Amino acid sequence: MAPTAATTSGGFFVGILIGYALKKVIKLVAVIVGLFLAGLAYLQYHQIANINWNKVQTVSEGAITTLSNAAMQIPDLSVGSVDTHAPAASFAMTSFGIPLTGSMSAGFTIGFIKG
C-alpha cells in the first residue's frame, strides 16, 4: 500500500508543478506575441512600416498547423505492445500506471487552474 500511496502523492505534486509552469509559459508567450503584434500595428499607424496583414495571417496559420501536426505525431507507448518475455520487475512497475497518471492529471488540472 505504501508504494501506491507514494506514487499517487508524488504524481499529484509533479502534476501541480507541471500544470503551474505550463500555464506561466503560455501566458508569457501570449504577452510577447501580443506586444510584438501591437508594436507592428503601432509602426503601421505612424506609417513607419507597411505591414501586409494577409501575409502575417498566412505565416501564422502555417506555423500553428506545423506545431499542431508535430504535437499529434509525438510517439506514445502502445498498450498492446507488452513483451511477454519481460522480467517480473517490469510487470510490477505497470501496476503504478493508473494511480500515477490519475493523480498526475488531477494535479496538472489544479496547477493549470491556479497558475
Side-chain angles (χ1 to χ4, degrees), residues 3-19 95-112:
T4 304
T7 302
T8 304
S9 62
F12 181 76
F13 289 120
V14 168
I16 286 176
L17 293 175
I18 292 172
S95 66
F96 293 126
I98 293 175
L100 177 65
T101 56
S103 63
M104 189 174 279
S105 63
F108 178 83
T109 303
I110 292 172
F112 197 79

Side-chain angles (χ1 to χ4, degrees), residues 11-100:
F12 181 76
F13 289 120
V14 168
I16 286 176
L17 293 175
I18 292 172
Y20 185 83
L22 184 64
K23 185 155 185 190
K24 292 298 180 183
V25 168
I26 289 172
K27 282 183 180 180
L28 181 65
V29 168
V31 167
I32 290 171
V33 169
L35 288 174
F36 178 73
L37 292 175
L40 288 178
Y42 178 78
L43 291 175
Q44 183 177 9
Y45 177 76
H46 287 290
Q47 297 176 350
I48 297 172
N50 187 12
I51 309 298
N52 184 355
W53 291 106
N54 292 328
K55 182 72 172 178
V56 171
Q57 180 180 0
T58 304
V59 169
S60 65
E61 286 176 354
I64 290 172
T65 302
T66 302
L67 286 174
S68 65
N69 287 340
M72 295 299 290
Q73 295 175 359
I74 294 174
D76 61 337
L77 297 175
S78 131
V79 176
S81 65
V82 176
D83 186 13
T84 58
H85 301 293
S90 67
F91 286 123
M93 287 303 292
T94 59
S95 66
F96 293 126
I98 293 175
L100 177 65

